[in-house]
Amino acid sequence: MRATTKPTTAGLDAALPAQRGRPARRPPTGEDPSLRAAYRLCRHTTRVHDSGIHALIQLMPTVLRPPCWALWAAASVLDDLADQRDAEQAERAARVEAWTQALQRDLTVGTSTDPVRHALVDTALRWRLDLSSLQGAVTSTLDDVRDRRFADWAEWRAWCETLVPWVDQVRHLFEQAGAPMTLRLDRQQDYKRFIDGAQLTDILTDLGADLTQGLLLLPQEALDTYPSAEDDLRQGRWSPATAALIRELTALARQWLTRPAMTTGMHPGAATVLNTAACLMRAQLDAVDGAGPTLLKRAPRPSLATRTRILAPARLRSGLAWSLTPLTVPGPRRPAVTKSDPSRAAEADTALQPPPPHPGGARPPQITLDQMPAHVAVIMDGNGRWAQQHRLPRPEGHRAGTAAAHEMVYGALEIGLRHLTLYAFSTENWKRDTGEITTILEAIRRDLDDGPLRDLDVRQRWLGHPDKLPDELVQALLREERRTRNRTALTLTVCINYGGRDEITRTAAALAQAAHAGDIDPHLIGEDDFARHLPHPDMPDVDLLWRTGNEQRTSNFLPWHATYAELHFTPDHWPDVDRRDLWQAITEYSRRQRRHGAAPLVSPEHHRPPRHVRCDCRSCPP
């Protein structure tokens, strides 16, 4: 359906509207006819493949429509390659893999002979998108080709997260344009449930088409609720059990999609897009409910009158919101390397670098895997006192501490540590002098912008609360999370505006909300249920908690995760430590016997230093 707000997107060929007193801007897709034709094809592909997505894109500002068409057209192409009925599963998987490999080559040279990839490459370069985050979604597409099955809702939800990278790319576009689709971190559970609801709506809509290909993308846990429903569905039979299952699932999807608090504080244009998406999907669920036996034969769709009732006011609201919002329109950008050497381009685009060596040539100790901690958490204490000892203002200590944090990351990578968590700024630190607080937060933001860890195989995450933090810092933290989400060597979690009791309180609130929504039985809540509602459910327990600065307390740091942590306290102030101190802490950990309440199983000789530990640490003997 064509949008009624001005300017319309016949708009790919037309320039952006001129503002009063200003000349008309260039077209958002540039002047290259082949590129504009490529974007036109992406628009057509999106409209044909998913008219609902096309309608939502029409609610976005004109400058963001072409890149969104390119993203969703690429997703549609991959889906079509995976669903082609003229080929065996292995052949379909090979076609998906070939398309994505061709995209990587095209990104290195900045263009493509394939029109959809041509538009996607231009979008990635122009809007500075990191398409590597889509690799998980591609892997999921390959899994769908192989008839993916889910034992329970937990497995199914993990699969649903493969949609998140595509949505995050759209959020990045809004951020780059100057109208960030900011999601409050205390509503992350709502965001995840919204994604679940969108996926379940899509599965129920396409149920008939999937069944013809032997796919039933519903968790066994749901199917077992109605014992005969699975056989009936696979045989294409509409039975009372099938009807009851569909009714239950559509009700569940509606519940997940109804998350009004998710858009609280968001730009009104972006909020309109998300709220309209929820309305359209609920209308789609109404159509699924009303389809009856025809659901197994063809995909139901809401009526034109229903769609108009939802979209007409949304167009008016979004049109007004965007007309009052100045937006940034980036120009075309070329790859950082030349076209003449594609091999070097691929290397520059994808290769990750090892950490720089220690200035003194120190090497990490050789510690066996069974004696290595999986997770080390560090309270970086003593920055201010270090500055005072050196007759410097306290803020200078925090600047000096940044180099020590880099050293910890380098040392963790060299020794093979999988999880490192650094306590950078606590909820109690707001009691400090305003100038010192500003210096700490500005140093963190500048470090993120400068990117000294950018080329390392480090997945960066943030743990904390956004309240009081500068929006620029919050956006920089979220940007690095998106950019590094597929890196695997080390997960670095930086705690900023974090308090352990606050984390437990908010997790309890999320658990209560889940119980109220019927997602969990309050009488059966256990530790695993609580852990799943923590901000980072996949964070492992802390094995070793280390504090510098000659203080011996844990200061409200990771109380849930550090229940059984070995404690390690050292006298040096944080700016004086380097990677050798981390190695010494890990070496000390390897000498301890951890029983977790059990009786000792070996003799006291176990506490002697293992012969295989050789270390260049400062305090270890040669």
Side-chain angles (χ1 to χ4, degrees):
M1 182 183 302
R2 187 173 64 85
T4 58
T5 52
K6 299 295 183 180
T8 66
T9 58
L12 258 188
D13 299 78
L16 286 171
Q19 296 182 3
R20 292 182 180 179
R22 298 182 183 180
R25 298 175 183 172
R26 297 174 56 205
T29 56
E31 304 291 350
D32 181 0
S34 66
L35 183 58
R36 294 169 71 182
Y39 276 111
R40 229 181 268 120
L41 175 63
C42 290
R43 178 184 63 182
H44 174 76
T45 301
T46 303
R47 184 170 54 205
V48 170
H49 196 275
D50 194 324
S51 60
I53 290 294
H54 181 264
L56 291 174
I57 293 175
Q58 296 296 88
L59 300 179
M60 298 180 187
T62 305
V63 295
L64 291 185
R65 294 173 191 171
C68 287
W69 291 331
L71 284 168
W72 290 109
S76 301
V77 167
L78 289 170
D79 280 343
D80 290 343
L81 289 174
D83 291 341
Q84 287 175 344
R85 302 182 184 181
D86 63 340
E88 297 296 327
Q89 289 184 355
E91 175 62 22
R92 284 182 275 160
R95 291 176 184 178
V96 171
E97 188 68 28
W99 198 93
T100 55
Q101 289 179 355
L103 173 62
Q104 292 302 316
R105 292 192 296 270
D106 294 341
L107 285 168
T108 64
V109 297
T111 188
S112 177
T113 56
D114 178 272
V116 172
R117 291 202 302 269
H118 188 26
L120 185 60
V121 167
D122 179 74
T123 288
L125 294 175
R126 186 185 300 264
W127 294 92
R128 301 177 185 271
L129 300 185
D130 179 7
L131 298 184
S132 63
S133 64
L134 301 179
Q135 186 59 45
V138 172
T139 301
S140 176
T141 299
L142 296 175
D143 286 339
D144 292 347
V145 169
R146 292 186 283 268
D147 189 11
R148 187 70 178 266
R149 293 175 181 268
F150 315 100
D152 52 30
W153 284 112
E155 285 188 12
W156 185 89
R157 287 192 177 104
W159 169 73
C160 284
E161 291 183 0
T162 58
L163 179 63
V164 172
W166 296 100
V167 179
D168 280 349
Q169 296 290 354
V170 175
R171 290 178 57 201
H172 181 72
L173 291 173
F174 275 86
E175 179 183 321
Q176 290 285 91
M181 188 181 282
T182 305
L183 292 172
R184 290 175 41 158
L185 294 192
D186 58 346
R187 309 308 301 183
Q188 289 297 306
Q189 194 65 24
D190 283 344
Y191 174 53
K192 293 177 181 179
R193 284 293 173 267
F194 187 85
I195 294 295
D196 292 347
Q199 285 283 61
L200 185 53
T201 300
D202 185 61
I203 288 170
L204 293 173
T205 299
D206 296 334
L207 186 61
D210 287 343
L211 288 172
T212 61
Q213 299 181 56
L215 297 175
L216 184 55
L217 299 176
L218 294 171
Q220 196 64 45
E221 179 182 347
L223 295 171
D224 289 345
T225 306
Y226 301 93
S228 65
E230 180 177 5
D231 288 341
D232 291 336
L233 285 171
R234 293 192 180 279
Q235 296 298 321
R237 293 192 300 262
W238 185 260
S239 65
T242 300
L245 174 64
I246 298 302
R247 283 195 303 272
E248 180 174 308
L249 293 178
T250 54
L252 187 60
R254 282 192 195 90
Q255 177 185 322
W256 289 344
L257 290 169
T258 306
R259 303 284 159 170
M262 187 174 66
T263 56
T264 300
M266 190 178 290
H267 183 283
T272 296
V273 173
L274 285 179
N275 289 332
T276 304
C279 290
L280 287 173
M281 285 187 283
R282 285 194 293 265
Q284 180 62 51
L285 291 169
D286 291 341
V288 170
D289 267 337
T294 61
L295 179 66
L296 304 184
K297 299 178 181 178
R298 59 180 179 272
R301 299 295 176 194
S303 67
L304 177 61
T306 298
R307 286 167 54 88
T308 302
R309 175 176 53 80
I310 295 171
L311 290 172
R315 288 167 181 157
L316 293 175
R317 287 193 298 270
S318 63
L320 177 61
W322 299 127
S323 70
L324 299 175
T325 305
L327 297 174
T328 301
V329 186
R333 194 166 70 96
R334 307 308 302 166
V337 291
T338 62
K339 297 181 182 180
S340 58
D341 192 352
S343 62
R344 284 184 59 201
E347 180 181 356
D349 186 63
T350 60
L352 294 173
Q353 304 300 317
H358 186 270
R363 296 297 303 158
Q366 303 297 313
I367 298 179
T368 58
L369 186 61
D370 64 319
Q371 293 183 311
M372 269 286 293
H375 184 186
V376 174
V378 185
I379 301 175
M380 305 181 293
D381 194 21
N383 290 315
R385 282 170 284 153
W386 177 90
Q388 290 171 338
Q389 283 185 356
H390 290 77
R391 300 179 183 276
L392 296 171
R394 282 181 60 89
E396 292 302 317
H398 299 293
R399 294 192 179 98
T402 301
H406 298 164
E407 273 288 298
M408 291 307 107
V409 174
Y410 302 153
L413 285 168
E414 287 185 319
I415 201 171
L417 183 66
R418 300 308 302 273
H419 290 267
L420 175 67
T421 299
L422 303 179
Y423 204 4
F425 189 84
S426 76
T427 51
E428 287 79 16
N429 288 152
W430 293 107
K431 302 173 186 176
R432 297 187 179 186
D433 177 76
T434 302
E436 183 176 352
I437 292 173
T438 301
T439 299
I440 295 172
L441 299 182
E442 181 60 24
I444 296 171
R445 187 195 62 78
R446 189 182 303 112
D447 195 58
L448 291 168
D449 291 342
D450 293 344
L453 308 180
R454 185 164 295 163
D455 295 329
L456 304 179
D457 192 5
V458 177
R459 178 192 181 196
Q460 298 185 50
R461 299 199 301 185
W462 165 36
L463 183 59
H465 200 266
D467 286 356
K468 299 184 182 182
L469 291 179
D471 186 63
E472 299 82 4
L473 175 57
V474 172
Q475 294 306 316
L477 290 164
L478 296 177
R479 179 195 68 216
E480 291 307 299
E481 283 194 355
R482 291 193 298 267
R483 188 182 62 81
T484 63
R485 64 186 303 157
N486 291 316
R487 298 187 179 180
T488 58
L490 171 69
T491 295
L492 171 65
T493 304
V494 181
C495 297
I496 303 172
N497 198 22
Y498 170 85
R501 288 184 174 179
D502 176 76
E503 177 184 48
I504 289 178
T505 300
R506 294 181 183 278
T507 301
L511 196 61
Q513 183 182 12
H516 179 73
D519 294 340
I520 188 170
D521 186 342
H523 300 290
L524 300 177
I525 291 176
E527 290 185 11
D528 290 344
D529 300 304
F530 189 91
R532 282 197 300 271
H533 287 79
L534 287 164
H536 292 312
D538 60 337
M539 176 184 281
D541 285 348
V542 175
D543 296 311
L544 174 64
L545 193 153
W546 169 30
R547 180 170 188 155
T548 63
N550 209 28
E551 299 287 354
Q552 299 190 12
R553 56 181 179 271
T554 59
S555 295
N556 198 23
F557 184 40
L558 299 176
W560 178 269
H561 299 88
T563 302
Y564 291 103
E566 295 291 318
L567 303 180
H568 181 70
F569 301 107
T570 56
D572 289 338
H573 296 140
W574 178 249
D576 286 329
V577 307
D578 68 12
R579 69 188 81 179
R580 293 172 297 174
D581 296 280
L582 173 66
W583 297 341
Q584 171 60 22
I586 292 175
T587 301
E588 173 64 26
Y589 170 89
S590 72
R591 296 168 179 165
R592 299 187 185 183
Q593 184 182 30
R594 309 192 73 206
R595 299 194 297 272
H596 298 289
L601 299 178
V602 295
S603 68
E605 293 183 356
H606 175 87
H607 293 282
R608 295 176 182 174
R611 293 181 180 179
H612 64 272
V613 175
R614 183 190 63 78
C615 187
D616 288 333
C617 300
R618 302 178 187 184
S619 57
C620 282

